[in-house]
Amino acid sequence: QLIPIFFFFKIEDVYWTFSYSPVIDENGNVAGVLVTCSETTEKINAFKNLEESNQRYLNNIMRAPAAMCIFMGKNHIVEIANQHMLNLMGQTESSVLNKPIFEGIPEAKGQGFEKLLDNVFNTGESFVANEFPVTLPRNGIVEPVYINFVFESLKDRDGKIIGIVAIAIDVSSQVLERKKMEDS
């Protein structure tokens, strides 16, 4: 419960937790109420700070200038994907979020990503690729795309791997232009 208190010449927000218990007399009747309370401002503020930190973390991913997403667990469930990643995947949020990646993007199966993701999740070793060829849906058509990407393990505070951060950049136009120049 928030109860502002006048303290050192100013009003401060102070949070309290209250407990009310009956006080029973020698005849077994309720003779009063025992009220205990403890100040929980520090706990509430820590919780608010954690929520703000989580929101900043999410905003940073969503506003990043590169394609970013978070895969959680050994099944690589897409927990977060920014618009750049959704565009790269050729998918919508509803088709990939909270689903294993290869359920959300079945076209990506069999292109080597399974082994790469499993290795990063199991070993914690990062994987970096440049101009990696992959076929992904674009406007309803599956076509070749070239991407630079990184898979980095995501760990909890005890160091246990809980997921993977993926960052990618579509470099198809540069690769295709270079190939045209090489051919000519």
Side-chain angles (χ1 to χ4, degrees):
Q1 179 72 43
L2 171 62
I3 301 177
I5 293 182
F6 191 72
F7 194 63
F8 289 114
F9 307 105
K10 65 180 180 176
I11 296 286
E12 289 194 26
D13 288 345
V14 181
Y15 292 87
W16 301 88
T17 297
F18 294 92
S19 175
Y20 299 93
S21 302
V23 176
I24 309 296
D25 67 13
E26 60 277 352
N27 297 324
N29 299 318
V30 176
V33 177
L34 174 64
V35 179
T36 57
C37 67
S38 60
E39 183 187 352
T40 54
T41 305
E42 191 174 305
K43 182 179 176 181
I44 295 297
N45 287 340
F47 181 74
K48 285 180 178 181
N49 289 339
L50 180 60
E51 282 184 330
E52 288 173 8
S53 176
N54 286 342
Q55 190 59 49
R56 276 193 309 274
Y57 172 72
L58 178 61
N59 287 341
N60 288 340
I61 291 172
M62 299 308 281
R63 295 180 53 127
M68 290 185 72
C69 69
I70 306 290
F71 304 121
M72 294 301 289
K74 65 180 183 172
N75 293 323
H76 317 302
I77 295 171
V78 180
E79 182 176 85
I80 301 168
N82 69 9
Q83 192 60 51
H84 294 294
M85 184 60 82
L86 294 171
N87 293 343
L88 179 63
M89 294 173 173
Q91 301 294 329
T92 62
E93 277 188 350
S94 62
S95 64
V96 294
L97 287 186
N98 302 313
K99 296 177 184 173
I101 186 63
F102 301 110
E103 183 181 315
I105 311 172
E107 299 87 355
K109 273 186 179 178
Q111 297 188 55
F113 289 109
E114 298 95 324
K115 184 177 178 182
L116 297 174
L117 287 168
D118 288 343
N119 187 60
V120 172
F121 188 81
N122 293 325
T123 68
E125 294 175 20
S126 301
F127 181 83
V128 178
N130 290 306
E131 299 182 0
F132 191 89
V134 60
T135 54
L136 293 171
R138 293 284 179 273
N139 302 318
I141 301 168
V142 177
E143 59 185 43
V145 178
Y146 295 90
I147 56 174
N148 293 348
F149 68 92
V150 176
F151 291 153
E152 183 72 43
S153 63
L154 180 63
K155 299 176 182 178
D156 65 13
R157 68 175 152 195
D158 296 325
K160 180 182 177 213
I161 298 170
I162 57 172
I164 297 171
V165 177
I167 303 170
I169 298 173
D170 184 347
V171 292
S172 300
S173 59
Q174 295 93 321
V175 171
L176 295 174
E177 282 301 315
R178 189 185 72 239
K179 286 185 178 201
K180 280 183 189 176
M181 291 176 72
E182 288 171 353
D183 289 345
S184 66

